[in-house]
Amino acid sequence: MEEEKRKNDVLEEVTSSEYKYGFVTDIETEHAPKGLNEDIIRYISAKKNEPEWMLEFRLKAYRHWLTLEEPDWALVDYPKIDFNDIIYYAAPKKKKELESLDQVDPELIDTFNKLGISLEEQKRLSGVAVDAVIDSVSVKTTFQDTLAKHDIIFCAMSEAVQNHPELVRKHLASVVPYTDNYYAALNTAVFSDGSFCYIPKGVRCPVELSTYFRINAANTGQFERTLIVAEEGSYVSYLEGCTAPQRDENQLHAAIVEIVAMADAEVKYSTVQNWYPGNKEGKGGIYNFVTKRGICKGDRSKISWTQVETGSAVTWKYPSCILKGDDSIGEFYSVAVTNNFQQADTGTKMIHLGKNSKSTIISKGISAGKSNNTYRGLVQISKKAENSRNFSQCDSLLLGDQCGAHTFPYINTSNETSIVEHEATTSKISEDQLFYCQQRGVDTEKAIGLIVNGYAKEVLNKLPMEFAVEAQKLLAITLEGSVG
Amino acid sequence: MSERKLSPLEQDLATYYSAHEGSFPGSENSRITELRNSAFQSLMETGLPTKKDEKWRSTDMKSVVANTYNLNPDAQEYDVEFSEMFRCDVRGFEADVISLSNGWYYAPEEEKLQVYDNGLIIGSIAIAQQRYPELFEQYFAEIADNTSHGFTAANSALWQDGVFVYVPDGLHIEKTLQLIKVVSSDNQLMTNTRNLIILGESSKLSFMHCDDSVNHNSNLINTVTEVHIGKNASFDLYKLQNINDETTLLNNTFIRQYADSRSKVSVLTLNGGCIRNEIHVDFQGEGGEADLNGFYLMDKKQHVDNQVFVRHSVPNCYSNELFKGVLDEEASAVFNGYIYVARDAQQTNAFQRNNNILMTKTAKVNTMPFLEIYADDVKCSHGATVGQLDTEALFYLMQRGISEKDARLLLMYAFIADVTGKIGIEALKTSIEDMVKKRLRGELSICEKCVLHCSRPDVTLEFDIDMSKV
Amino acid sequence: MLLNIKDLHVSIGGKEILKGFNLGVNKGEVHAIMGPNGTGKSTLAAAITGREGYEVEKGTIEYKGEIINDQAPDERANNGIFLSFQYPVEIPGVSMTNFMRTALNAQREHQGLDPVPASEFLKLMEANKKLVDIHSKLTNRSVNEGFSGGEKKKNEIFQMAMLQPQLAVLDETDSGLDIDALKVVARGVNALRSENNGFVVITHYQRLLDYIVPDFVHVMYDGRIVKSGTKGLAHELEEKGYDWITQQLDYKTV
């Protein structure tokens, strides 16, 4: 069958496009020796000039980590990580205070430009304040004045530890304790930097806050720690984007993101994750083992996670919501695309504790090449969560017959007034849809692009505008040459 | 490997095994002996499951493994006709009845293995393994996986008796074969019953597997059933479960289906303290169909756990799972469906659905409908819901003058009607539906005899609401 | 000649459906293909548009002087062949607007033209929506998703108007339409008829042909055309039924 062969060729072609963001920014870096022990942790803490309590906290986490074993329940397979073969701290050497973009390393600007997310453009066109984290140390924050006017704190975590210790002490690890899991313990022990964001009572953050993470120096593990606190009645939309340059060795990324939403607060957290997925033979790529969790602490609070996951060799990530407040709302919208030899085990947990709490889960998995894509999610309705609701829809799309698509939902319900619904389907692009497009003159490659984007639309629509464009571009890059 | 600390039950099983090595059925057969040995080893290594095992997270065996059971009840002498012990006169439903009493095949000595003129063989597995070594060589212990968990391994190591059925090629058995397993001992029993059912090519069998209690002892019934369904053969399995609230029932059924074969399983759980049904279906030939259904009606502190694994190893097979349940009082239910579609198992159609109704604050449901898929040209879906009776429907019924109590019963009855509706034998369907109604009205208790012979046949079973009005 | 089908044999999964089919369509002509169910009418539509799984075993399909047996469906479409589907498929998440723009631009790219400017495209959409009485809310939806049977068929004609084909194949466009929708669809088709294009109208009933008046009527039976005539043949068929034809044929074969 000529047509079948042609289609396979196109599929092969569109699913085998190589990572386009593989370039290394040549910024001089300073880094710790390889390996992990208490001395390294003291070194990191000292480098950051941290108070004693912070060091103690790190050491406690490290000692706990030593007693843990790497989790193996996810449907992913990778060689054992040698945690002593990793550099736990790297910082750009130039570290002076910057006030304008002119003072930023031109190469860095160039990197952002290559990514199509230049600070200038972002600033000028969309009014996004960017806290760019390059290899773990905050280099540049913008729009501080605007934020300061509203008493919003948006700074590097290391700065927050210095300048707002009471806030950090109060909330850090209040959502993800270091005992939570293996990687959470590791992160707590060695976290290098990250972002801290505090929205005071009643404030609606006027700009979308954004951090672009990049993993840059070879053999550098990346251990960010992000904490977002939204006080009563406040609102913030936070964007996280990640791209990492091409490296042959696997790089470990174990971040923690914590969100605290007080009564009537709303936090929208959007991620586009496009770290290096490894090459077509499955060599290299990022290990992305991330713990993200938010707590809807107050009544009527809302946390919404939106993620577009196209990168990383191995992903292990479950952005979750603890719905503690009455009438609180948790949302999880996810598009995960895997190609070549990528493995993703991702999903969410919705823990309903408050009355009338509601959660929505929309997950779209797209697998191509020889990849495996797993949705794993937990919906838990506790005894006291009267009238709570959950709706989950988890769909998988398979492109080609060498990939895998898996769905592992866990639903635990202990309240008779709650309603939980879960639906899932697995499909491929139907011959009828392809033919219909072709009959209208749209070639196979474009048709696949159209249909895949249509398939993911429900989630892409949840992204802020400027992010949605990038996400669509990434879908295009990951799956094909051109998307209509 | 470091020595594991054995639980009391594991200790008892180990002691019992060592004491009886060499005297188990099949001990003269080296293959069976080897199977027992390796199963025992597996049991000692992995142990009986605890909540730490992923597949047992929600079904706690702690009190079971801490308990002491009589592992070797004496075989009951055949003294009275079976029909006198268990009158099974379900109106309109005819079945050939065989029985296991306290785990032992209950029949006069000369009838413990019967070979009929048409080639059908029915009888005790202990005798069959002597008489038909070639069938055992080919089929026995081929599909039961001892590594899946300790209870299967324990069964494989310690089984003493059970049922053997062989349906030759082309033979259609029209009358349902009904197995009634009754446990009625003065002390707490653990039975390790092993069944082997073989269907030849293009044959047909309808099999009913009833688990009953006649007293309130805390027994542990650990049954492993292996079923081979030959090419183009058809197998219907009805599992009717109505045991006491103290008993733990573990039913582990392994089904292997060859090309174009059909299986239909209905798990009908009416009562039981702790029931775990595992159904494993493995398609070995194209064109197979498996229709797996079940309902559960639990109350008090009862617990039911349905684990349904369907493995699509070859292309072009169809499987459908539908499990529905109502949980009242402090009852809890677990459902774990697992559809595995192997690479190249194209044109697979696999569906899975689990719907639950919680009646009280204290009832619980854990549902895990899983899909693991490695082929693209497949149609797979799953769905799960947990909710309440539809309040609008409830109001509609009440507005038409039906009492709230009756309206609730009717809606519960309607809720599981699509499961009972799948029962292929009309008479059986009617009788099961009657039992469901009784169960919902709280009138069904542990019968003194077989559950199908309800203790008070004089009581009319008719539901007093005319369904046609709804 | 616009379309010239010679001795076409087409099989599906090894089963021969078209068994020596011949048809010539000139520019400016409307040909109606009638026939009882299961005679291969939809197979013909699929063969002309190059649907996968329809194997041309023998014979040729010539379009604008070129044999297109091996052309991919999108290539044929961009060369001006349009099929109004009997059962238009739903494509979730793909908006009609996006879909049409992609299709139109694919055609223009094929013709060496630049993509159509957004404003012009929207004007075109508006004009053609009016032609078939399509609500704007439909074009904002995903392709065919949640459309009623009538809306789906109108949508097919709308797309035809957008893409301006040279050869349009209408496969049972009347099925599932009430008389009002049928009139709208026919009005759309008639507006598009010109000296430069040809139509092949596949239908089971004569009804549609009252509104889309054909130049020629062909009766198909068992994979080939067994009787051809002018529009009068359609009326004759309506009166006498298909048995009239089949009996004649069966008599001959006996």
Side-chain angles (χ1 to χ4, degrees):
Chain A
M1 311 270 279
E2 189 59 29
E3 175 61 13
E4 186 62 28
K5 191 187 165 301
R6 209 174 65 86
K7 208 178 305 156
N8 283 339
D9 288 350
V10 172
L11 254 183
E12 163 71 15
E13 196 185 306
V14 301
T15 58
S16 63
S17 79
E18 296 246 19
Y19 189 70
K20 290 183 180 166
Y21 291 162
F23 43 81
V24 178
T25 312
D26 190 22
I27 300 175
E28 274 188 277
T29 57
E30 173 195 4
H31 50 72
K34 273 184 184 175
L36 184 53
N37 51 51
E38 294 202 2
D39 287 344
I40 289 286
I41 291 165
R42 285 175 209 282
Y43 172 87
I44 294 170
S45 190
K47 272 279 162 203
K48 304 197 149 287
N49 200 21
E50 283 177 356
E52 188 61 24
W53 61 265
M54 197 68 201
L55 174 63
E56 280 310 310
F57 183 51
R58 285 177 183 274
L59 288 171
K60 224 155 71 181
Y62 172 70
R63 288 167 198 148
H64 180 72
W65 178 75
L66 288 174
T67 69
L68 299 175
E69 279 180 41
E70 232 181 302
D72 61 356
W73 43 262
L75 197 66
V76 293
D77 187 25
Y78 54 90
K80 215 167 162 43
I81 298 169
D82 180 356
F83 288 93
N84 276 317
D85 197 36
I86 292 172
I87 295 166
Y88 287 87
Y89 182 80
K93 266 184 184 159
K94 293 174 194 168
K95 252 187 83 183
K96 56 181 180 189
E97 291 290 310
L98 303 173
E99 274 141 29
S100 77
L101 283 174
D102 307 340
Q103 289 173 278
V104 176
D105 191 317
E107 270 202 59
L108 178 57
I109 302 271
D110 197 41
T111 304
F112 283 123
N113 283 335
K114 276 191 230 172
L115 286 168
I117 49 155
S118 96
L119 288 172
E120 291 157 299
E121 284 301 296
Q122 293 278 349
K123 257 173 75 179
R124 195 168 56 81
L125 295 176
S126 55
V128 174
V130 176
D131 176 25
V133 176
I134 287 238
D135 280 1
S136 327
V137 171
S138 194
V139 174
K140 174 72 195 149
T141 53
T142 55
F143 278 83
Q144 287 296 359
D145 290 347
T146 318
L147 299 179
K149 217 160 55 194
H150 294 275
D151 294 323
I152 294 169
I153 304 169
F154 181 40
C155 63
M157 183 62 86
S158 50
E159 264 174 72
V161 170
Q162 306 293 338
N163 302 335
H164 310 283
E166 67 299 336
L167 281 175
V168 175
R169 270 189 103 155
K170 183 174 174 194
H171 296 290
L172 191 72
S174 70
V175 192
V176 181
Y178 66 83
T179 50
D180 191 79
N181 69 69
Y182 187 80
Y183 297 107
L186 178 66
N187 175 286
T188 310
V190 303
F191 77 89
S192 34
D193 212 332
S195 301
F196 175 74
C197 170
Y198 179 83
I199 316 291
K201 191 171 167 181
V203 170
R204 215 186 142 79
C205 183
V207 288
E208 315 228 34
L209 301 181
S210 169
T211 310
Y212 281 90
F213 296 99
R214 305 247 311 142
I215 301 174
N216 225 18
N219 283 328
T220 309
Q222 181 93 353
F223 303 93
E224 282 95 7
R225 180 109 200 180
T226 298
L227 173 60
I228 300 171
V229 179
E231 290 287 6
E232 220 176 296
S234 65
Y235 166 87
V236 65
S237 168
Y238 190 94
L239 318 181
E240 173 203 317
C242 328
T243 48
Q246 190 155 351
R247 289 279 173 204
D248 269 346
E249 286 117 299
N250 292 302
Q251 290 176 304
L252 175 64
H253 180 92
I256 292 180
V257 175
E258 294 177 280
I259 299 175
V260 180
M262 307 308 278
D264 297 298
E266 180 178 350
V267 178
K268 201 170 144 65
Y269 193 102
S270 311
T271 311
V272 173
Q273 186 266 112
N274 181 38
W275 281 321
Y276 180 51
N279 67 10
K280 277 168 75 177
E281 280 72 47
K283 192 168 168 355
I286 301 289
Y287 292 169
N288 186 22
F289 303 148
V290 178
T291 307
K292 290 185 169 179
R293 191 177 304 151
I295 182 165
C296 286
K297 218 167 180 175
D299 295 349
R300 296 167 305 279
S301 54
K302 178 177 176 184
I303 293 176
S304 180
W305 299 98
T306 304
Q307 60 172 22
V308 174
E309 300 280 317
T310 63
S312 294
V314 182
T315 299
W316 180 100
K317 178 181 175 188
Y318 316 91
S320 306
C321 298
I322 300 169
L323 303 169
K324 189 161 176 254
D326 292 348
D327 300 289
S328 59
I329 297 173
E331 293 176 339
F332 175 75
Y333 301 100
S334 169
V335 175
V337 186
T338 54
N339 196 359
N340 298 320
F341 285 87
Q342 279 176 276
Q343 307 172 69
D345 195 302
T346 184
T348 184
K349 291 184 200 173
M350 292 291 174
I351 314 290
H352 290 255
L353 303 172
K355 294 191 185 88
N356 306 315
S357 51
K358 289 184 180 52
S359 63
T360 304
I361 300 171
I362 307 285
S363 162
K364 305 275 181 180
I366 299 157
S367 340
K370 291 184 157 68
S371 70
N372 276 298
N373 200 326
T374 301
Y375 168 82
R376 187 184 303 275
L378 169 70
V379 174
Q380 187 164 322
I381 311 277
S382 69
K383 243 187 194 70
K384 289 181 180 157
E386 301 271 317
N387 292 314
S388 50
R389 298 271 183 281
N390 162 266
F391 175 76
S392 306
Q393 172 83 46
C394 304
D395 295 329
S396 308
L397 189 68
L398 292 122
L399 303 180
D401 57 5
Q402 295 298 307
C403 50
H406 321 301
T407 320
F408 300 123
Y410 297 74
I411 300 163
N412 299 348
T413 315
S414 318
N415 186 295
E416 91 287 8
T417 56
S418 60
I419 296 178
V420 179
E421 285 172 276
H422 176 99
E423 295 290 334
T425 61
T426 298
S427 56
K428 63 172 198 168
I429 293 175
S430 87
E431 302 288 324
D432 284 348
Q433 289 174 337
L434 268 187
F435 180 66
Y436 194 84
C437 292
Q438 282 179 299
Q439 211 299 309
R440 299 297 186 253
V442 180
D443 67 33
T444 313
E445 184 180 348
K446 273 210 191 81
I448 290 172
L450 260 182
I451 295 166
V452 166
N453 254 300
Y455 173 80
K457 180 148 276 172
E458 218 178 328
V459 174
L460 296 178
N461 281 346
K462 298 286 172 188
L463 288 172
M465 192 56 176
E466 57 276 19
F467 236 34
V469 175
E470 185 178 356
Q472 273 192 348
K473 238 163 49 186
L474 283 178
L475 280 188
I477 288 166
T478 312
L479 282 176
E480 60 214 39
S482 61
V483 178
Chain B
M1 191 190 282
S2 63
E3 277 297 298
R4 260 183 348 101
K5 191 175 175 297
L6 298 183
S7 65
L9 180 56
E10 285 166 350
Q11 190 62 60
D12 287 353
L13 292 172
T15 312
Y16 185 81
Y17 186 77
S18 324
H20 290 77
E21 240 183 317
S23 62
F24 287 114
S27 56
E28 64 289 346
N29 179 326
S30 63
R31 178 169 175 269
I32 292 178
T33 302
E34 263 168 50
L35 286 166
R36 283 190 193 275
N37 280 334
S38 75
F40 180 72
Q41 245 164 34
S42 173
L43 169 64
M44 286 300 109
E45 273 161 30
T46 54
L48 296 173
T50 68
K51 283 188 92 166
K52 281 186 190 151
D53 295 278
E54 172 73 15
K55 294 277 175 209
W56 292 79
R57 282 203 322 190
S58 310
T59 298
D60 197 355
M61 289 286 118
K62 203 162 74 193
S63 62
V64 168
V65 300
N67 223 329
T68 310
Y69 298 94
N70 175 2
L71 292 171
N72 190 23
D74 294 331
Q76 196 170 356
E77 282 297 311
Y78 183 86
D79 41 16
V80 290
E81 281 267 326
F82 183 73
S83 59
E84 282 180 32
M85 286 176 67
F86 307 96
R87 275 170 299 152
C88 198
D89 53 353
V90 176
R91 275 149 296 183
F93 174 58
E94 277 190 37
D96 286 323
V97 176
I98 52 176
S99 72
L100 290 169
S101 174
N102 292 341
W104 299 99
Y105 198 86
Y106 187 76
E109 207 50 46
E110 63 283 5
E111 288 173 20
K112 278 195 173 165
L113 189 75
Q114 291 190 293
V115 183
Y116 296 87
D117 292 343
N118 54 17
L120 173 69
I121 305 168
I122 300 172
S124 154
I125 196 170
I127 299 172
Q129 59 84 19
Q130 289 179 319
R131 210 77 67 78
Y132 302 100
E134 66 293 342
L135 285 177
F136 274 69
E137 179 70 31
Q138 194 180 344
Y139 295 108
F140 180 72
E142 277 299 303
I143 42 180
D145 179 10
N146 292 329
T147 59
S148 68
H149 56 76
F151 282 110
T152 307
N155 182 288
S156 294
L158 291 133
W159 66 271
Q160 303 256 42
D161 208 347
V163 169
F164 174 80
V165 180
Y166 175 78
V167 188
D169 290 356
L171 183 64
H172 286 204
I173 307 295
E174 297 302 342
K175 210 167 170 187
T176 300
L177 183 61
Q178 182 182 8
L179 165 65
I180 303 179
K181 270 162 59 196
V182 175
V183 175
S184 64
S185 167
D186 292 337
N187 46 22
Q188 295 181 159
L189 280 187
M190 175 180 183
T191 62
N192 286 295
T193 299
R194 185 73 171 214
N195 304 318
L196 177 61
I197 299 172
I198 305 163
L199 276 82
E201 280 184 29
S202 304
S203 66
K204 192 177 158 195
L205 177 68
S206 158
F207 189 82
M208 187 159 176
H209 180 169
C210 305
D211 277 293
D212 305 296
S213 325
V214 296
N215 59 27
H216 285 273
N217 280 337
S218 310
N219 301 308
L220 173 58
I221 305 168
N222 182 27
T223 304
V224 172
T225 305
E226 292 179 286
V227 184
H228 294 260
I229 310 177
K231 273 186 197 159
N232 194 37
S234 246
F235 179 64
D236 285 5
L237 174 63
Y238 300 99
K239 284 170 168 295
L240 187 62
Q241 301 169 336
N242 191 33
I243 55 167
N244 69 35
D245 294 344
E246 289 74 27
T247 289
T248 298
L249 173 65
L250 306 173
N251 251 325
N252 208 339
T253 307
F254 296 85
I255 298 174
R256 180 172 283 180
Q257 290 193 234
Y258 299 91
D260 302 313
S261 63
R262 290 165 299 281
S263 69
K264 185 158 149 186
V265 179
S266 300
V267 184
L268 315 169
T269 307
L270 290 157
N271 204 80
C274 174
I275 294 179
R276 179 171 163 117
N277 295 300
E278 280 187 23
I279 302 166
H280 303 254
V281 174
D282 186 8
F283 289 106
Q284 293 277 314
E286 292 191 34
E289 288 178 20
D291 194 2
L292 313 170
N293 309 290
F295 70 70
Y296 38 94
L297 304 169
M298 313 306 273
D299 58 11
K300 287 167 274 187
K301 287 181 188 298
Q302 299 172 351
H303 178 76
V304 63
D305 181 350
N306 285 299
Q307 303 270 333
V308 186
F309 306 96
V310 179
R311 192 182 171 87
H312 285 265
S313 314
V314 293
N316 210 16
C317 291
Y318 166 89
S319 68
N320 187 42
E321 295 165 34
L322 175 67
F323 279 75
K324 296 185 115 179
V326 179
L327 289 310
D328 204 350
E329 295 175 338
E330 288 172 63
S332 54
V334 178
F335 173 80
N336 186 189
Y338 207 114
I339 294 172
Y340 180 94
V341 180
R343 182 135 294 149
D344 303 329
Q346 300 289 12
Q347 271 85 47
T348 288
N349 283 307
F351 309 103
Q352 199 181 57
R353 185 152 284 281
N354 175 232
N355 303 111
N356 300 279
I357 286 185
L358 291 181
M359 302 295 290
T360 65
K361 264 189 213 335
T362 41
K364 259 190 226 160
V365 169
N366 288 1
T367 173
M368 293 157 280
F370 290 175
L371 302 173
E372 189 172 347
I373 295 167
Y374 296 95
D376 63 334
D377 194 7
V378 299
K379 284 199 183 74
C380 296
S381 73
H382 67 200
T385 59
V386 183
Q388 306 82 45
L389 294 177
D390 181 349
T391 47
E392 272 187 46
L394 197 63
F395 175 72
Y396 188 89
L397 291 174
M398 287 163 67
Q399 207 284 320
R400 296 289 183 270
I402 298 167
S403 76
E404 181 173 345
K405 185 167 166 279
D406 283 347
R408 280 185 186 280
L409 290 179
L410 185 55
L411 288 175
M412 279 191 260
Y413 178 78
F415 178 68
I416 59 163
D418 45 354
V419 177
T420 52
K422 289 202 178 201
I423 296 170
I425 304 163
E426 202 54 42
L428 180 61
K429 185 161 88 185
T430 310
S431 118
I432 296 292
E433 282 170 352
D434 283 346
M435 290 174 72
V436 168
K437 291 169 194 167
K438 289 188 78 176
R439 175 72 175 90
L440 292 171
R441 286 196 301 216
E443 290 168 7
L444 187 71
S445 55
I446 310 304
C447 302
E448 285 155 24
K449 306 291 179 199
C450 157
V451 289
L452 284 180
H453 166 68
C454 303
S455 53
R456 295 177 60 198
D458 50 308
V459 174
T460 149
L461 293 175
E462 299 321 309
F463 213 48
D464 45 12
I465 294 166
D466 184 353
M467 294 290 282
S468 64
K469 283 183 191 152
V470 182
Chain C
M1 199 176 276
L2 186 62
L3 176 72
N4 193 3
I5 299 176
K6 283 189 274 191
D7 191 28
L8 188 66
H9 292 253
V10 173
S11 66
I12 309 169
K15 188 172 187 283
E16 194 175 48
I17 307 291
L18 293 189
K19 303 167 180 175
F21 183 92
N22 293 287
L23 178 69
V25 177
N26 288 304
K27 282 184 182 176
E29 291 175 356
V30 173
H31 290 248
I33 310 275
M34 301 184 69
N37 290 328
T39 54
K41 297 193 300 288
S42 288
T43 301
L44 174 67
I48 294 173
T49 50
R51 184 158 201 157
E52 194 183 339
Y54 293 76
E55 294 295 317
V56 176
E57 308 286 355
K58 198 175 158 205
T60 52
I61 306 170
E62 201 181 298
Y63 173 68
K64 293 198 286 191
E66 195 185 342
I67 289 169
I68 58 165
N69 288 19
D70 293 330
Q71 266 186 17
D74 47 320
E75 213 177 334
R76 299 185 204 205
N78 284 324
N79 280 322
I81 298 178
F82 181 92
L83 170 64
S84 167
F85 284 77
Q86 185 180 2
Y87 303 110
V89 68
E90 300 186 1
I91 311 180
V94 177
S95 78
M96 270 306 300
T97 309
N98 189 9
F99 179 61
M100 266 298 94
R101 194 156 70 174
T102 310
L104 196 63
N105 284 338
Q107 192 188 68
R108 289 174 66 95
E109 191 185 324
H110 185 78
Q111 293 162 352
L113 299 171
D114 286 336
V116 59
S119 60
E120 203 176 300
F121 173 75
L122 289 176
K123 259 188 240 159
L124 205 57
M125 289 277 285
E126 282 312 310
N128 287 319
K129 272 191 261 183
K130 279 198 193 106
L131 183 71
V132 286
D133 275 352
I134 252 186
H135 279 290
S136 284
K137 64 168 201 254
L138 288 189
T139 50
N140 291 335
R141 275 199 226 155
S142 295
V143 180
N144 293 323
E145 201 176 42
F147 286 29
S148 71
E151 285 166 346
K152 279 184 181 167
K153 293 302 170 73
K154 280 188 196 175
N155 188 20
E156 293 294 291
I157 303 305
F158 163 72
Q159 293 179 42
M160 181 167 84
M162 288 295 292
L163 296 172
Q164 295 287 330
Q166 283 163 282
L167 174 68
V169 181
L170 312 185
D171 189 6
E172 304 273 3
T173 296
D174 51 333
S175 70
L177 288 189
D178 61 32
I179 196 73
D180 292 329
L182 185 70
K183 278 182 186 165
V184 172
V185 163
R187 191 178 74 209
V189 171
N190 288 328
L192 296 168
R193 270 174 92 160
S194 82
E195 284 309 304
N196 295 318
N197 56 28
F199 284 77
V200 175
V201 181
I202 293 170
T203 180
H204 186 79
Y205 302 105
Q206 179 267 337
R207 189 177 71 150
L208 177 70
L209 304 180
D210 285 343
Y211 299 97
I212 303 173
V213 182
D215 299 300
F216 303 96
V217 174
H218 310 276
V219 181
M220 234 180 127
Y221 184 69
D222 194 23
R224 65 180 85 91
I225 286 172
V226 291
K227 200 171 176 67
S228 295
T230 53
K231 63 183 174 190
L233 179 58
H235 288 285
E236 206 169 346
L237 271 175
E238 183 78 359
E239 250 168 62
K240 299 182 180 170
Y242 285 116
D243 288 348
W244 166 60
I245 302 268
T246 56
Q247 272 161 14
Q248 282 180 343
L249 285 167
D250 291 341
Y251 176 74
K252 271 186 216 158
T253 47
V254 170

